[in-house]
């Protein structure tokens, strides 16, 4: 997958309009943070949270090179701990929920950072059986169930891409209308 694939996966989950504040939980080197930066109107702020400080450093450099107008704030931290974040218009969890042992607790915790109409976007492998690199999978059906349990609002599939090793990678969004 390349940058245009990342953008396509998130596109239908991002509303137009400037001055939005988003967060990417488990941002890594920022594949989806950069996609968000491409999609958000200006001015825009993105908080990138990851426990891997080196990956966040790489993201800072890429953002500066490619989208210098976006206000990027990095948080080297465990996103299951309390974070100092403003109310969010939206958040992305891309390939990071499948590392959490208690999906629902994480989703509920992160959803508290959202504004009432804030959008919870997810990118995950659509598999049910765990793999070494996907220890706690979040299939689309599992996400629908979690989003219902966490009362996130209506859920829709936003996109998908074929994946050689795991059949499909999908994106979904849940929010209240
Ligand atoms: C597979 S990578 C995905 C990176 C990026 N979102 C992407 O899709 O390309 C998972 C990332 O989640 C981060 N991560 C997992 N659990 C975390 C936690 N509890 N707190 C902060 N970061 C976490 C890891 O450090 C890693 O960078």
């Amino acid at each position: 997958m390349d940058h245009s694939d990342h953008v396509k996966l998130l596109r239908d989950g991002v509303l137009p309009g400037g001055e939005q504040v988003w967060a990417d939980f488990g941002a890594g080197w920022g594949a989806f943070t950069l996609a968000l930066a491409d999609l958000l109107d200006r001015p825009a702020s993105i908080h990138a949270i990851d426990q891997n400080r080196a990956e966040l450093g790489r993201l800072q450099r890429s953002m500066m090179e490619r989208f210098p107008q976006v206000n990027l704030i990095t948080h080297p931290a465990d996103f299951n701990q309390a974070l100092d974040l403003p109310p969010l218009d939206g958040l992305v969890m891309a390939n990071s929920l499948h590392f959490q042992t208690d999906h629902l607790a994480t989703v509920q915790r992160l959803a508290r950072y959202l504004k009432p109409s804030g959008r919870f976007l997810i990118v995950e492998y659509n598999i049910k059986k765990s793999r070494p690199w996907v220890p706690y999978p979040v299939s689309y059906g599992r996400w629908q169930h979690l989003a219902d349990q966490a009362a996130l609002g209506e859920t829709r599939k936003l996109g998908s891409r074929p994946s050689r090793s795991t059949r499909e990678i999908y994106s979904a969004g849940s929010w209240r209308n």
Side-chain angles (χ1 to χ4, degrees):
M1 291 213 298
D2 61 15
H3 179 70
S4 73
D5 294 311
H6 302 141
V7 168
K8 276 186 212 145
L9 282 168
L10 298 189
R11 175 170 284 131
D12 289 346
V14 177
L15 275 178
E19 302 197 24
Q20 294 189 50
V21 182
W22 280 66
D24 185 357
F25 290 94
W29 60 265
F32 289 92
T33 327
L34 295 167
L36 267 182
D38 210 346
L39 287 165
L40 287 168
D41 287 334
R42 308 291 186 256
S45 298
I46 307 177
H47 293 260
I49 302 99
D50 204 291
Q51 54 205 4
N52 186 326
R53 197 178 281 271
E55 294 281 74
L56 290 179
R58 187 175 159 200
L59 167 58
Q60 263 171 334
R61 290 189 291 279
S62 309
M63 191 68 82
M64 196 56 88
E65 265 169 38
R66 297 171 63 183
F67 303 104
Q69 323 88 322
V70 169
N71 179 28
L72 175 73
I73 306 100
T74 55
H75 303 255
D78 176 350
F79 55 58
N80 287 307
Q81 303 298 315
L83 297 165
D84 186 16
L85 294 174
L88 301 173
D89 295 288
L91 70 86
V92 173
M93 276 198 100
N95 304 308
S96 57
L97 188 54
H98 65 232
F99 290 110
Q100 314 310 311
T101 50
D102 188 339
H103 289 156
L104 183 59
T106 296
V107 169
Q108 287 174 324
R109 188 175 295 112
L110 301 194
R112 285 190 210 113
Y113 294 114
L114 288 170
K115 293 178 182 175
S117 60
R119 295 173 166 219
F120 199 128
L121 308 189
I122 180 133
V123 178
E124 275 296 343
Y125 296 108
N126 201 0
I127 52 169
K128 292 188 178 150
K129 245 180 101 186
S130 78
R131 311 278 164 93
W133 65 97
V134 189
Y136 308 103
V138 189
S139 66
Y140 181 59
R142 170 98 182 117
W143 174 251
Q144 286 176 301
H145 183 61
L146 281 169
D148 272 357
Q149 283 183 299
L152 297 183
E154 196 188 323
T155 292
R156 46 297 250 176
K157 202 162 179 181
L158 302 172
S160 66
R161 308 291 303 157
S163 160
R164 217 176 318 136
S165 50
T166 51
R167 196 168 59 92
E168 182 191 57
I169 187 163
Y170 71 91
S171 55
S174 304
W175 61 84
R176 299 188 193 98
N177 288 312

